[in-house]
């Protein structure tokens, strides 16, 4: 009999033989007793059917059937044997997971009855098991108010981003320049790392079947899958470099910044009003001014902010396209959540920290072609 332990031993071995690279490579899967006919590939074992998108590797390890997709640091392995299975991801998974009411189905592409939050280990052994295991670095960051020197934070963020760009595998890289500051930072890092990339249209006009299915679930998922309307192509093997999570994890989401600033008794709405016309003002007025005004005070605003941030999923891998979203990473959190309040306010109002990164990466001309207003939303 192949126990959960043997399945986990395979998972560990697969990690050890995965190339060292940080790509946010998530994927589509549906584990159930019946196939999901809307997904393209299906694997059956021990009474389970695993339906997936394309691009998974299928292994047999001592009788344990394993499906693996991704690279070291961001991957998913599903190991099945003797009627049970184990789902293993990295510390910070980049996709939501739902289960149904009877807990006989797990998926990341259909919004079911219950959502399983970040940091839960998931397995099935005579029933569904979820075990919350918060990593130590996250716990320490939640309790930490030690601030970084702004120059140190800038240098560290740029060095880390360039390193990740250098580590990308030898595949075509495509980047959609939206006129926004996040994609500009990503392209500046690629250029600094001397990585070739091609500019592409940001909107997918023709979606492949798995892509179309995922996008069709967007409304039911409460808009969680909105990023898939900006996935240019999933048919040809390539990397799509994106600025997803740039607002949320780089201190430009006004709601998260509102919670962050409470440690210093600062008010982001007052800061916008003092600043006057700014890059982010239209975005703030349309989506956040009233929302923040109606908020009930949080007993632990930093804890609430971090829980929301780490369960804010936007874009993951599809078929042959690997989506590189380096802002969604542990290093980003550990830097951005230790910035001083004035730096955070400037970032949230003017994208000041991100603009400084572009200059630091030697691509100052890119600043001339940025949109005047975030998402072209003119302040009213």
């Amino acid at each position: 009999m192949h126990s959960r332990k043997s399945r986990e031993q395979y998972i560990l071995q697969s990690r050890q033989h995965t190339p060292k690279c940080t790509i946010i490579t998530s994927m589509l899967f549906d584990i159930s007793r019946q196939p999901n006919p809307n997904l393209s590939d299906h694997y059956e074992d021990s009474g389970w059917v695993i339906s997936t998108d394309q691009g998974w590797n299928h292994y047999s390890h001592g009788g344990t059937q394993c499906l693996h997709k991704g690279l070291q640091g961001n991957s998913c392995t599903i190991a099945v044997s003797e009627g049970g299975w184990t789902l293993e991801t990295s510390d910070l998974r980049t996709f939501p997971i739902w289960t149904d009411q009877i807990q006989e189905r797990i998926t990341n592409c259909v919004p079911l009855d219950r959502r399983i939050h970040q940091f839960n280990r998931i397995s099935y052994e005579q029933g569904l098991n979820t075990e919350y295991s918060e990593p130590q670095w996250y716990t320490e960051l939640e309790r930490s108010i030690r601030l970084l020197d702004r120059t140190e934070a800038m240098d560290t963020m740029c060095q880390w981003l360039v390193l990740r760009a250098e580590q990308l595998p030898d595949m075509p890289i495509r980047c959609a320049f939206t006129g926004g500051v996040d994609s500009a930072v990503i392209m500046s890092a690629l250029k600094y790392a001397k990585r070739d990339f091609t500019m592409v249209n940001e909107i997918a006009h023709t979606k492949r079947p798995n892509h179309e299915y995922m996008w069709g679930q967007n409304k039911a998922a409460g808009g969680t899958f909105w990023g898939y309307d900006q996935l240019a192509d999933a048919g040809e093997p390539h990397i799509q470099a994106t600025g997803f999570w740039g607002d949320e994890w780089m201190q430009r989401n006004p709601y998260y910044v509102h919670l962050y600033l409470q440690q210093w008794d600062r008010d982001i709405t007052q800061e916008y009003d003092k600043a006057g016309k700014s890059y982010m003002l239209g975005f703030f007025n349309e989506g956040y001014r009233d929302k923040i005004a109606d908020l009930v005070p949080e007993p632990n605003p930093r804890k609430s902010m971090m829980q929301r941030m780490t369960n804010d999923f936007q874009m993951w891998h599809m078929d042959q396209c690997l989506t590189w979203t380096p802002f969604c990473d542990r290093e980003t959190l550990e830097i951005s959540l230790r910035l001083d309040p004035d730096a955070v306010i400037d970032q949230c109002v003017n994208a000041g920290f991100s603009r400084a990164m572009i200059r630091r990466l030697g691509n100052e001309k890119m600043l001339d072609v940025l949109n005047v207003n975030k998402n072209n939303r003119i302040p009213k």
Side-chain angles (χ1 to χ4, degrees):
M1 178 176 180
H2 302 284
S3 65
R4 174 178 175 177
K5 181 178 180 181
S6 67
R7 295 197 299 270
E8 291 181 340
Q9 285 174 339
Y10 171 76
I11 290 169
L12 178 61
Q13 182 182 25
S14 70
R15 284 175 168 177
Q16 292 170 341
H17 288 84
T18 304
K20 291 187 177 181
C21 182
T22 302
I23 294 184
I24 303 299
T25 54
S26 312
M27 54 297 296
L28 307 186
F29 62 85
D30 195 327
I31 308 174
S32 183
R33 301 295 185 178
Q34 302 293 329
N36 181 335
N38 297 292
L39 294 176
S40 60
D41 297 358
H42 308 280
Y43 304 87
E44 295 187 35
D45 190 270
S46 303
W48 293 97
V49 181
I50 304 171
S51 302
T52 70
D53 61 340
Q54 298 174 0
W56 290 70
N57 294 318
H58 184 197
Y59 302 93
S60 178
H61 179 72
T64 298
Q65 299 301 310
C66 301
L67 293 172
H68 177 82
K69 194 172 185 179
L71 302 173
Q72 184 175 5
N74 275 287
S75 63
C76 180
T77 301
I78 304 170
V80 186
S81 68
E82 298 294 336
W85 51 261
T86 300
L87 177 71
E88 187 77 9
T89 67
S90 56
D91 268 357
L92 281 171
R93 61 176 160 87
T94 61
F95 48 84
I97 296 179
W98 289 276
T99 185
D100 60 359
Q101 192 169 16
I102 61 174
Q103 299 188 356
E104 287 282 311
R105 184 183 180 190
I106 289 285
T107 182
N108 69 345
C109 53
V110 183
L112 299 176
D113 301 285
R114 173 193 164 206
R115 183 165 159 175
I116 301 175
H117 288 276
Q118 186 77 265
F119 304 133
N120 273 286
R121 296 172 60 87
I122 305 169
S123 62
Y124 191 100
E125 196 84 50
Q126 300 180 340
L128 183 67
N129 304 303
T130 58
E131 178 185 353
Y132 186 78
S133 181
E134 186 175 285
Q136 184 176 353
W137 68 265
Y138 180 89
T139 304
E140 292 173 353
L141 185 61
E142 182 186 298
R143 298 171 181 171
S144 172
I145 57 172
R146 181 181 67 84
L147 299 181
L148 295 174
D149 172 80
R150 199 177 304 188
T151 301
E152 176 191 0
M154 175 67 60
D155 288 345
T156 304
M157 183 75 82
C158 289
Q159 290 167 6
W160 159 78
L161 194 59
V162 170
L163 176 63
R164 295 300 185 262
E166 291 173 342
Q167 291 177 329
L168 290 172
D170 187 16
M171 295 174 62
I173 300 174
R174 299 174 183 173
C175 189
F177 179 53
T178 63
V181 69
D182 298 317
S183 58
V185 171
I186 296 302
M187 286 192 290
S188 298
L190 289 168
K191 185 176 179 180
Y192 193 95
K194 295 181 171 55
R195 298 302 304 263
D196 293 331
F197 61 91
T198 303
M199 302 286 290
V200 296
N201 192 321
E202 65 172 305
I203 302 299
H205 296 289
T206 302
K207 298 180 176 70
R208 291 164 60 84
N210 289 324
H211 191 177
E212 188 67 51
Y213 171 61
M214 191 68 173
W215 179 242
Q217 298 293 318
N218 184 55
K219 185 176 181 180
T224 300
F225 305 149
W226 65 272
Y228 280 92
D229 199 36
Q230 295 187 16
L231 185 65
D233 176 30
E236 179 184 344
H238 73 282
I239 295 167
Q240 181 160 332
T242 82
F244 281 93
W245 280 276
D247 287 347
E248 291 73 17
W249 286 34
M250 284 287 287
Q251 294 284 23
R252 283 210 335 279
N253 179 294
Y255 178 33
Y256 297 162
V257 170
H258 165 78
L259 296 174
Y260 184 79
L261 292 177
Q262 290 184 31
Q263 299 174 70
W264 296 277
D265 198 26
R266 304 283 292 271
D267 187 301
I268 191 59
T269 301
Q270 292 179 8
E271 300 296 339
Y272 272 105
D273 291 342
K274 285 193 297 184
K277 187 177 180 180
S278 65
Y279 173 69
M280 295 283 290
L281 182 60
F283 182 74
F284 172 75
N285 285 345
E286 287 188 26
Y288 291 94
R289 183 179 288 275
D290 293 341
K291 180 179 181 178
I292 290 174
D294 294 337
L295 287 177
V296 176
E298 296 272 3
N300 189 337
R302 187 177 179 92
K303 181 181 181 72
S304 175
M305 172 194 66
M306 290 181 62
Q307 288 177 341
R308 293 174 184 274
M309 290 174 75
T310 52
N311 287 282
D312 189 336
F313 304 110
Q314 298 180 8
M315 163 66 76
W316 53 101
H317 181 94
M318 171 71 69
D319 287 340
Q320 304 300 329
C321 171
L322 304 181
T323 54
W324 186 52
T325 55
F327 291 132
C328 182
D329 209 317
R330 167 182 169 176
E331 286 84 351
T332 305
L333 283 187
E334 291 186 314
I335 295 171
S336 69
L337 295 186
R338 289 194 172 112
L339 290 176
D340 67 81
D342 289 327
V344 169
I345 290 167
D346 182 44
Q347 170 73 344
C348 191
V349 174
N350 302 303
F353 191 82
S354 295
R355 291 173 189 270
M357 286 183 66
I358 294 171
R359 294 189 189 94
R360 179 71 175 81
L361 292 167
N363 200 19
E364 191 166 356
K365 290 183 179 179
M366 180 66 74
L367 298 173
D368 297 333
V369 296
L370 295 181
N371 294 333
V372 175
N373 301 292
K374 160 78 173 170
N375 292 356
N376 285 320
R377 292 178 178 172
I378 301 173
K380 298 178 182 179

